Amino acid sequence: MNEKELRNLQIFIGKRPQDQTDEMVIDHIKKIDLQTPLTQDEWKKLLIPCCNNGMATILQFALGNIAELDCVKDLMEHTVYGRNVKLSKKRITVLKILAEYLTDDEKEVVLSEIMLKAAWFGDTEVVKFLICFGANRDYINKNGLDLAKCAERVETQFKDTSLKEYILG
């Protein structure tokens, strides 16, 4: 599969028509894979639109075709990127799936970094989930960013105080 075909498949997954079910998308991917078998790298690149859009069923299908997942943190970052609180529940489902691939040694740090990224965009529900799941609410990243600074940004930029109220409560 060339880069353009792969990009088109990623777009198809991420921006599919409303009337297409997850199963229909999976069938389309299977059809393409039968015609031109996808490489491990191509399967991994199909995970990105699944994470971006909270598509847990398609994500699990694609993960089933990957021998070794070595990009969990990157996928988690794609999952929480951007401000779209309508996707919070779907994002949490995807994060639960991806967290299964973290080692015990890396879990707290990775979840804490993802927590700060979610907080940066003001997704309070995802922040709550990540803290319950093992993120350190007192974590400060290498740039000095913590939940309080994220809450200030969200309040200033989006006029949303939910994160601030959560961390103070």
Side-chain angles (χ1 to χ4, degrees):
M1 173 174 287
N2 66 41
E3 284 297 316
K4 184 178 181 189
E5 291 169 329
L6 180 61
R7 182 69 187 129
N8 286 341
L9 184 54
Q10 288 176 309
I11 291 168
F12 175 80
I13 293 168
K15 299 183 188 253
R16 68 177 187 216
Q18 294 291 340
D19 62 337
Q20 287 193 329
T21 64
D22 288 346
E23 291 74 24
M24 293 167 85
V25 173
I26 290 169
D27 287 343
H28 181 72
I29 297 168
K30 286 179 180 176
K31 180 180 164 190
I32 290 172
D33 187 43
L34 280 174
Q35 294 169 350
T36 309
L38 297 166
T39 66
Q40 288 294 290
D41 189 51
E42 289 167 341
W43 278 110
K44 288 176 185 177
K45 289 179 181 176
L46 294 185
L47 299 175
I48 295 169
C50 298
C51 293
N52 286 348
N53 296 290
M55 299 173 170
T57 303
I58 301 169
L59 174 70
Q60 288 178 306
F61 165 72
L63 285 169
N65 289 282
I66 295 172
E68 182 182 343
L69 190 62
D70 55 0
C71 54
V72 180
K73 182 181 174 197
D74 292 338
L75 293 171
M76 289 181 140
E77 287 175 354
H78 281 289
T79 303
V80 301
Y81 185 81
R83 182 168 171 83
N84 189 344
V85 292
K86 292 178 184 177
L87 284 177
S88 294
K89 288 181 182 176
K90 290 181 176 186
R91 286 176 168 176
I92 289 168
T93 302
V94 166
L95 290 168
K96 283 180 186 176
I97 294 166
L98 294 173
E100 294 174 19
Y101 293 88
L102 293 172
T103 65
D104 289 340
D105 292 340
E106 67 185 345
K107 184 176 180 178
E108 182 182 331
V109 171
V110 170
L111 292 179
S112 298
E113 289 178 11
I114 300 306
M115 171 195 67
L116 288 182
K117 290 193 183 299
W120 182 257
F121 293 108
D123 198 332
T124 305
E125 292 307 310
V126 171
V127 170
K128 288 178 186 179
F129 161 75
L130 289 167
I131 290 170
C132 289
F133 211 68
N136 178 352
R137 73 180 295 139
D138 298 319
Y139 183 79
I140 300 170
N141 75 5
K142 63 184 176 193
N143 298 319
L145 188 65
D146 63 4
L147 279 178
K149 289 178 183 169
C150 289
E152 287 174 25
R153 175 190 180 274
V154 169
E155 183 176 13
T156 302
Q157 186 161 350
F158 303 116
K159 310 297 184 237
D160 178 354
T161 60
S162 63
L163 182 59
K164 181 179 181 180
E165 292 165 9
Y166 170 69
I167 62 175
L168 293 176

